[in-house]
Amino acid sequence: MNYDKLLNPVIVAEKPSGIRRFFDMASTMEDCIVLGVGEPDFKTPWSIREAGITSLEKGRTFYTSNSGLIPLRKEICSYLSRRFDLDYTTDEVMVTVGGSEGIDACMRAVLAAGDEVIVPYPSYVSYGPMARLAGATVVPVNTKAENSFRLTAEELKAAITPKTKLLVLPYPSNPTGAVMRREHLEEIAQVLRGTDIFVMSDEIYAELTYGDEKHVSIASIDGMKERTILINGFSKAHAMTGWRLGYACAPKPVLAQMLKIHQFAIMSAPTTSQYAAIVALSQCDEAVEEMRSQYNLRRKLLTSELKRIGMPCYDAEGTFYVFADIRGSGLSSEEFCERLMFEKRVVVVPGTAFGDAGEGFVRISYSYSIDHIQQALRRMEEFMNGLKK
Amino acid sequence: MEKILSLIEKQPMLTPAQIAAMLDISEQEVAETIERCKKEGIIKGYRTLIDWDKVSSNHVKALIELRVTPKKGRGFEEIAQVIADMEEVEAVTLISGGYDLLVEIKAKTFQEIAMLVAKRLSPLDDVYGTKTNFVLRPYKVSGVPFVEEDKDERGLFL
Ligand SMILES: Cc1ncc(COP(=O)(O)O)c(C=O)c1O
């Protein structure tokens, strides 16, 4: 059978991430220091794990309601209100299998054939493929290093057409670490007010921003909640990637459609994880803050050292990644990463894995111990010195 | 100062410049604080953690519990000092519970340790009871695991 001809051409056309090959190689090499992963190095705080265990001991092994346990949805509402001044009720919340499922359900509920989706790049790898699978066309906006990789109002205006249905707002940003502060979001809101354009705001890294101001959600800005689908989850801030749990918040008419998709595709999010997540939201603010302060120390160490060795990164204010500028090396992102891996056994991710706009940059993750980061820095310094000769 | 101390306690290899960047203070402030802490005896020293069992088999350790009669007015200070001065003694700690002093001893053989207890610790005037616990295998020392650490199982990169 000629599978490529028979299968859905939309998914067949999606390139499997080219760097997979490269990382598979890394995993077979000895003595590699990896700064590549996109998840916390911390284990899930013990009280959360214990709540999961207790729910199993009590035999809570059934489906939950489609939209998730009511006590959990209540905690989500109170958490969003406490942390980000958001005003959601339990019937505007759906518990999902990670932020990933929320992204998919949002795209499929909002988009139809012919719609356009504006996606800022460099950004997380799933938005484009999910939008195309929903039948829509992606309109990429390449954000710029000199704007700290924020989406500007001008860039947004230039991308809008009568077909624009959805704007993806991926901040705090994987891979760039960029954060949109209130004033930046106000500018975007200014453009969107009075239009019929929806916003999918992926705030999975909301807890991981540094500096004095905390994260601001676009849904908290005047006139934005009615058009916003908020995506969040437990993977990053609560160090719960393997539990596969997240949530989406949206106006009731939007959520009703997303809930049908969730019902047909998923039924309900994992029950054990839902019980654990109740504790994550009700008892773990301190644990989250402690992890955040550890990330912040590492962020400052990396930023200052990378600058010293000639791989400057603009001041990334969020997530656990820095996006280092390697244009001074004269190499492309992929060449840089390959040579760094073969010559010095350090693995970082080429910026181009997150779209062409990532050319000239590499993503370095700091969800690693300080010792680990220091070892990698020593090798990267040798590498950079070697290039100068 | 506490922030600097808790950083270098676990990561003594950080340079003053790195610490300064991490804590948003000047390099000079870091260097001065560390100097002052050394002078005031807050920073006691730097040592290297070595798993000697991996090097050779003639390294043994024991934790000796001692019951001691405290001296009027001077408590345990005097006897603790006498014991601390012995070369084989790695650590002396006043403890609560069934015994008074916990003494860590390092030697080449178990025999040596047994002799040391019998000939030098037990005969001390104020010591009226000893219990010798030989260390069979350390699992974690000063916060550092001495057994194989869990491998980093994280494999997804995006
Ligand atoms: C920006 C962003 N959104 C969403 C996700 C999906 O996370 P999860 O499905 O574990 O919640 C990730 C994971 O890396 C991410 O980086």
Side-chain angles (χ1 to χ4, degrees):
Chain A
M1 293 170 95
N2 185 346
Y3 293 108
D4 279 355
K5 280 231 166 94
L6 294 167
L7 298 172
N8 177 353
V10 181
I11 191 65
V12 170
E14 295 294 338
K15 329 184 225 352
S17 169
I19 53 170
R20 199 62 259 173
R21 169 188 59 85
F22 170 69
F23 292 132
D24 288 346
M25 252 183 316
S27 64
T28 65
M29 277 185 351
E30 285 201 10
D31 189 32
C32 258
I33 301 183
V34 178
L35 293 176
V37 303
E39 62 181 316
D41 57 319
F42 300 104
K43 293 184 180 116
T44 308
W46 173 248
S47 58
I48 302 176
R49 286 187 268 161
E50 197 173 32
I53 293 167
T54 305
S55 82
L56 288 173
E57 280 173 350
K58 290 193 175 160
R60 291 168 169 164
T61 57
F62 305 100
Y63 294 129
T64 68
S65 73
N66 291 133
S67 50
L69 293 168
I70 291 188
L72 174 56
R73 280 184 284 144
K74 279 191 181 147
E75 285 299 341
I76 291 170
C77 295
S78 102
Y79 165 82
L80 291 175
S81 148
R82 166 173 94 241
R83 298 289 299 156
F84 310 116
D85 292 322
L86 289 167
D87 175 26
Y88 283 105
T89 53
T90 51
D91 50 3
E92 294 170 310
V93 179
M94 162 174 123
V95 181
T96 57
V97 180
S100 302
E101 193 220 334
I103 294 168
D104 183 29
C106 166
M107 299 271 186
R108 289 201 269 167
V110 172
L111 301 172
D115 287 341
E116 288 180 359
V117 185
I118 298 173
V119 181
Y121 287 97
S123 61
Y124 183 54
V125 293
S126 86
Y127 310 128
M130 287 308 180
R132 285 187 284 270
L133 275 171
T137 305
V138 171
V139 176
V141 174
N142 289 344
T143 58
K144 299 194 180 66
E146 56 266 34
N147 297 327
S148 304
F149 294 104
R150 293 183 177 107
L151 175 68
T152 66
E154 287 65 41
E155 288 164 341
L156 173 60
K157 268 188 232 160
I160 291 176
T161 75
K163 291 186 186 158
T164 306
K165 177 64 73 65
L166 178 70
L167 164 66
V168 174
L169 206 58
Y171 297 96
S173 161
N174 170 12
T176 65
V179 166
M180 300 275 280
R181 300 292 181 189
R182 181 178 297 281
E183 63 269 26
H184 310 115
L185 291 172
E186 285 288 358
E187 271 186 34
I188 299 297
Q190 194 68 38
V191 179
L192 295 174
R193 265 183 215 115
T195 69
D196 280 336
I197 299 172
F198 287 102
V199 177
M200 186 187 84
S201 187
D202 181 351
E203 301 181 23
I204 195 105
Y205 291 99
E207 287 286 357
L208 300 179
T209 66
Y210 313 101
D212 299 333
E213 285 171 72
K214 66 179 184 187
H215 171 76
V216 177
S217 171
I218 188 146
S220 70
I221 288 179
D222 227 20
M224 291 299 109
K225 191 184 165 196
E226 60 172 6
R227 68 185 69 247
T228 300
I229 296 97
L230 176 77
I231 306 294
N232 206 330
F234 300 89
S235 286
K236 314 294 174 173
H238 294 89
M240 291 178 71
T241 45
W243 298 76
R244 305 310 305 125
L245 205 71
Y247 51 92
C249 305
K252 274 183 245 174
V254 181
L255 198 77
Q257 304 310 322
M258 290 173 62
L259 198 53
K260 278 194 265 174
I261 296 165
H262 174 75
Q263 180 187 337
F264 297 136
I266 303 289
M267 295 284 280
S268 64
T271 302
T272 313
S273 306
Q274 292 194 50
Y275 279 104
I278 294 173
V279 168
L281 293 182
S282 58
Q283 295 173 30
C284 294
D285 286 7
E286 242 173 73
V288 170
E289 178 54 31
E290 174 55 29
M291 290 189 270
R292 199 183 73 94
S293 70
Q294 291 298 322
Y295 289 132
N296 197 18
L297 287 173
R298 303 166 182 182
R299 178 182 74 101
K300 291 184 193 165
L301 173 66
L302 250 184
T303 312
S304 83
E305 289 292 282
L306 286 173
K307 186 169 157 199
R308 187 175 65 76
I309 69 179
M311 297 169 63
C313 32
Y314 77 98
D315 189 22
E317 295 174 62
T319 71
F320 38 65
Y321 313 106
V322 294
F323 211 46
D325 188 341
I326 51 106
R327 286 174 292 190
S329 71
L331 303 173
S332 74
S333 298
E334 289 205 19
E335 282 166 351
F336 185 95
C337 293
E338 276 187 34
R339 286 189 51 184
L340 183 61
M341 182 174 83
F342 284 118
E343 293 170 26
K344 293 293 169 190
R345 297 279 192 272
V346 175
V347 179
V348 298
V349 183
T352 45
F354 306 91
D356 297 341
E359 185 52 81
F361 292 83
V362 298
R363 189 192 77 174
I364 301 176
S365 163
Y366 49 91
S367 59
Y368 292 93
S369 73
I370 289 176
D371 280 343
H372 187 98
I373 292 171
Q374 268 194 301
Q375 277 182 44
L377 278 166
R378 258 175 248 131
R379 294 190 189 184
M380 287 193 279
E381 181 170 11
E382 285 172 20
F383 180 71
M384 293 304 285
N385 288 340
L387 286 181
K388 276 184 221 144
K389 280 174 197 152
Chain B
M1 174 175 88
E2 273 168 55
K3 282 191 181 155
I4 298 178
L5 292 176
S6 46
L7 267 183
I8 59 173
E9 182 178 24
K10 293 207 181 105
Q11 283 98 206
M13 312 283 266
L14 287 171
T15 66
Q18 291 173 332
I19 297 167
M22 292 165 86
L23 300 178
D24 291 322
I25 51 182
S26 72
E27 200 175 325
Q28 191 188 346
E29 188 178 342
V30 175
E32 282 171 7
T33 308
I34 292 178
E35 263 326 295
R36 193 174 36 137
C37 287
K38 283 184 190 164
K39 260 195 209 128
E40 292 175 8
I42 295 172
I43 293 176
K44 293 291 188 191
Y46 303 87
R47 309 198 68 184
T48 308
L49 285 177
I50 295 171
D51 188 349
W52 281 108
D53 289 345
K54 289 204 171 127
V55 182
S56 72
S57 55
N58 48 6
H59 299 275
V60 292
K61 260 190 189 177
L63 300 169
I64 323 275
E65 293 168 288
L66 298 182
R67 278 199 220 177
V68 179
T69 320
K71 277 256 166 55
K72 232 193 198 142
R74 309 207 37 199
F76 296 97
E77 301 293 307
E78 196 175 293
I79 178 91
Q81 194 57 56
V82 169
I83 295 170
D85 285 342
M86 298 180 182
E87 207 180 313
E88 300 84 345
V89 170
E90 287 275 293
V92 186
T93 322
L94 181 63
I95 55 174
S96 64
Y99 287 79
D100 305 305
L101 292 177
L102 184 67
V103 179
E104 189 182 319
I105 294 185
K106 216 167 128 176
K108 286 206 177 72
T109 61
F110 287 124
Q111 183 66 16
E112 263 183 41
I113 291 181
M115 294 311 286
L116 190 98
V117 174
K119 295 225 163 109
R120 293 183 63 194
L121 289 178
S122 294
L124 289 169
D125 277 348
D126 307 325
V127 173
Y128 67 93
T130 70
K131 186 169 137 194
T132 302
N133 309 279
F134 288 113
V135 173
L136 303 180
R137 182 169 185 203
Y139 292 99
K140 194 174 186 183
V141 178
S142 297
V144 175
F146 265 46
V147 287
E148 242 5 91
E149 272 192 87
D150 289 348
K151 260 186 68 187
D152 190 346
E153 287 174 354
R154 299 173 297 164
L156 281 181
F157 286 66
L158 299 172

